[in-house]
C-alpha cells in the first residue's frame, strides 16, 4: 500500500499533536460517533470493523504510515470502529486542519490521493477474495501474488488470525486449509513462513 510518511504532514500539525498509544484490543474510534479527527498510524496495526445486525465484520487492517478515518473529511460520523490489533501509536489530526493542509500542500494532496487509490484497490481485492466460496482457492489467491518473482517462500507480515479475519475465514478454517495444502504437497510452513513446492507451482502455471 502507498504510504504517507509522518514528514509528509505539515510541521505545524506534527509539532502540535501528542501521539496516543493504544494497547492491544483498545478501541480508538467507534462507528456512529461524531467524526472529528483523521488519524495517522505511527506504528502498530489497527483493525477496522463494522457492526451489522450485532455481527462484527472486519473491513481491512491499517498499518504503520497509513491513515484511517479519512471519510471524516466529508461524512459527519465514523462508518466503522477501529481496534488496535497490537500495541500501536497514532496521531489525531483535526479534520479542519487536515483539509486546510491539503489545500496548501500539493505534495500532501498527491500523497493522499495515492493513498486513497491504493486503499480502494486493496479493499476491492479483499472483496473479490471473500466472494470465492472455496477456502482453498481463496487462500491461494491471497498467498500466491505475495510471492516475489522467482521465489518460492513468503513470510506473512501479520499473524494467521489476522489473515483469517481479512479473508473472512475462522482461524480454524484457515488452519484446516493450510493443513490440506501441506498434505497435498503444495506448501510447507514454519510459523508465518510458507514455502511453495516448485513442482506444484509449475503444474499450476501449466494449467
Amino acid at each position: 500500500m502507498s504510504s504517507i510518511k509522518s514528514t509528509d504532514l505539515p510541521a505545524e500539525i506534527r509539532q502540535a499533536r501528542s501521539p496516543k498509544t493504544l494497547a492491544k484490543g483498545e478501541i480508538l474510534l467507534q462507528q456512529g460517533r461524531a467524526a472529528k479527527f483523521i488519524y495517522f498510524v505511527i506504528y502498530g496495526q489497527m483493525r477496522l470493523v463494522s457492526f451489522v445486525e450485532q455481527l462484527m465484520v472486519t473491513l481491512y487492517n491499517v498499518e504503520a504510515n497509513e491513515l484511517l478515518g479519512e471519510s471524516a473529511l466529508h461524512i459527519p460520523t465514523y462508518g466503522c470502529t477501529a481496534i488496535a490489533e497490537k500495541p500501536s501509536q497514532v496521531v489525531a489530526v483535526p479534520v479542519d486542519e487536515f483539509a486546510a493542509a491539503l489545500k496548501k500542500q500539493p505534495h500532501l494532496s498527491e500523497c493522499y490521493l495515492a493513498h486513497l487509490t491504493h486503499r480502494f484497490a486493496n479493499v476491492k481485492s479483499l472483496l473479490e477474495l471473500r466472494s470465492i466460496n472455496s477456502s482453498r482457492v481463496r487462500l491461494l489467491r491471497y498467498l500466491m501474488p505475495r510471492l516475489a518473482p522467482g521465489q518460492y517462500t513468503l513470510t506473512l507480515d501479520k499473524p494467521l488470525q489476522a489473515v483469517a479475519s481479512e479473508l473472512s475465514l475462522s482461524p480454524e478454517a484457515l488452519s484446516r486449509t493450510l493443513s490440506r495444502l501441506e498434505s497435498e504437497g503444495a506448501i510447507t510452513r514454519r510459523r508465518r513462513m510458507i514455502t511453495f513446492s516448485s513442482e506444484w507451482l509449475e503444474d499450476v502455471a501449466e494449467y
Side-chain angles (χ1 to χ4, degrees), residues 7 25 34 57 59 65 76 80-81 118 122 131 134 141 192 197 199:
T7 51
V57 178
L59 303 176
N65 291 327
C80 57
T81 295
H118 283 83
N122 288 345
S131 71
S134 166
R141 292 279 183 88
R192 296 188 195 177
S197 160
E199 292 82 2

Side-chain angles (χ1 to χ4, degrees), residues 129-157:
L129 285 172
R130 292 170 183 174
S131 71
I132 299 172
N133 290 328
S134 166
S135 60
R136 179 182 181 278
V137 176
R138 194 183 307 183
L139 179 58
L140 287 172
R141 292 279 183 88
Y142 178 87
L143 294 175
M144 292 178 65
R146 286 166 170 75
L147 280 175
Q151 299 297 312
Y152 301 105
T153 298
L154 65 89
T155 301
L156 296 172
D157 60 356

Side-chain angles (χ1 to χ4, degrees), residues 7 23 39 42 59 71 81 104 108 116 137 143 169 173 181 189 192 204:
T7 51
Y39 294 88
I42 299 174
L59 303 176
S71 62
T81 295
K104 295 178 182 177
L108 178 61
L116 291 181
V137 176
L143 294 175
L169 295 172
L181 289 171
R189 61 185 174 120
R192 296 188 195 177
V204 170

Side-chain angles (χ1 to χ4, degrees), residues 161-204:
Q161 185 172 358
V163 173
S165 179
E166 282 194 343
L167 295 176
S168 289
L169 295 172
S170 68
E172 295 78 15
L174 176 61
S175 179
R176 288 195 300 270
T177 305
L178 286 167
S179 296
R180 177 184 171 189
L181 289 171
E182 283 188 290
S183 67
E184 293 174 2
I187 65 169
T188 56
R189 61 185 174 120
R190 183 168 177 264
R191 297 183 179 177
R192 296 188 195 177
M193 184 179 294
I194 297 174
T195 300
F196 281 85
S197 160
S198 58
E199 292 82 2
W200 185 87
L201 283 177
E202 288 173 3
D203 289 342
V204 170

Side-chain angles (χ1 to χ4, degrees), residues 1-16:
M1 172 119 180
S2 178
S3 298
I4 297 180
K5 301 180 179 63
S6 60
T7 51
D8 292 325
L9 298 175
E12 59 269 24
I13 290 180
R14 297 198 311 270
Q15 295 166 2

Side-chain angles (χ1 to χ4, degrees), residues 32-43:
R33 294 287 178 86
K36 299 179 180 179
F37 300 95
I38 290 174
Y39 294 88
F40 177 81
V41 180
I42 299 174
Y43 66 76

